[in-house]
Amino acid sequence: MSGPATPGQGHDHGQGHRHEAGLDSDRGPSADASVGKAGLNDLPALGIVQAAVWQEAYDGIVPPEVHAAFQPAAFAAGWRESVSNPPPGVYELLVARAGGQVVGFAAIAPSQDPDAGQTTGEIIALGVHPHGRRQGHGSRLVNACVDRLREAGAEHVAAWVLVPHEQTRAFLAAAGLTPDGAYRDRVVSPDGATAREARLVAHIGAAPDTPAPQSPGAPPSAGPSPRSDSPPSPE
């Protein structure tokens, strides 16, 4: 979903999203498929998934030296602190499993957008391994993110997606998120190159006309998130 953060670096939002990379239209359910909160033991496998997703999603978007940094160990290390010591606010890292194997991941956090309010949460990272797509994992991850945000009192959910990623936007639109007209240029390289992202939003609470005030909680402090303004790395 949005631009990558350099492996091992801190980020402004926790690891998103962004979200978007590696999400094909789901074909149908798979046996023994589940979504749950990520634990420390999941991080090596999650790193493998994220590296595969980011390498594909940011090919041709980030410079070669940044693309080369999308490595499993770097991503796993980036998430470790966030999982061990979750930052304040509504933050959670989820993994999708097929049997016992991690095939996808997602992360949620309070939105840090200037115009967001305390009832707005964000899917800051989302991806499914290329070999695990079209089996419903992406939809289950999005549903789990929305359920957790709603349980925490969120009334709105947002996600930032790279403009060229039309398939990801279509996937999220099918899940109920629609563009709200907001764009941003995310720094994706040490020399200041940028990539344009579009924001998709959905109302998930009980009061559609209630404006969202200031964002709930503080942003996560670690994990390779697409929400970093520093030189990119995997989302």
Side-chain angles (χ1 to χ4, degrees):
M1 292 187 342
S2 48
T6 312
Q9 277 194 323
H11 48 76
D12 64 356
H13 225 193
Q15 149 132 49
H17 196 145
R18 222 148 262 162
H19 336 107
E20 46 159 15
L23 294 172
D24 289 344
S25 297
D26 294 322
R27 180 176 294 152
S30 61
D32 302 319
S34 64
V35 172
K37 187 173 182 178
L40 292 174
N41 291 339
D42 294 315
L43 298 186
L46 189 158
I48 292 172
V49 172
Q50 187 170 4
V53 170
W54 263 230
Q55 287 166 8
E56 178 185 74
Y58 294 101
D59 186 30
I61 294 177
V62 299
E65 66 272 18
V66 173
H67 194 272
F70 295 167
Q71 297 298 322
F75 284 118
W79 287 113
R80 191 168 302 278
E81 178 62 21
S82 293
V83 172
S84 300
N85 301 293
V90 180
Y91 170 76
E92 192 164 355
L93 177 63
L94 305 172
V95 291
R97 296 184 177 86
Q101 182 177 2
V102 173
V103 295
F105 70 100
I108 56 173
S111 173
Q112 298 302 301
D113 294 336
D115 59 348
Q118 63 183 27
T119 58
T120 300
E122 184 173 336
I123 302 173
I124 59 172
L126 178 62
V128 175
H129 193 280
H131 295 162
R133 294 175 192 165
R134 300 184 66 80
Q135 298 176 43
H137 300 300
S139 294
R140 279 185 287 274
L141 282 164
V142 171
N143 290 339
C145 288
V146 170
D147 287 345
R148 282 159 172 74
L149 288 171
R150 184 182 289 120
E151 289 168 2
E155 295 179 1
H156 306 84
V157 60
W160 286 94
V161 180
L162 287 165
V163 168
H165 287 189
E166 296 180 2
Q167 188 173 29
T168 298
R169 291 204 306 276
F171 170 83
L172 292 173
L177 284 81
T178 58
D180 69 349
Y183 290 89
R184 69 182 181 189
D185 293 313
R186 174 67 57 183
V187 176
V188 295
S189 72
D191 64 4
T194 61
R196 175 146 287 203
E197 299 171 341
R199 186 170 65 187
L200 283 72
V201 300
H203 178 266
I204 60 173
D209 298 326
T210 302
Q214 196 172 337
S215 168
S221 59
S225 160
R227 295 307 309 272
S228 174
D229 286 317
S230 56
S233 204
E235 171 186 297

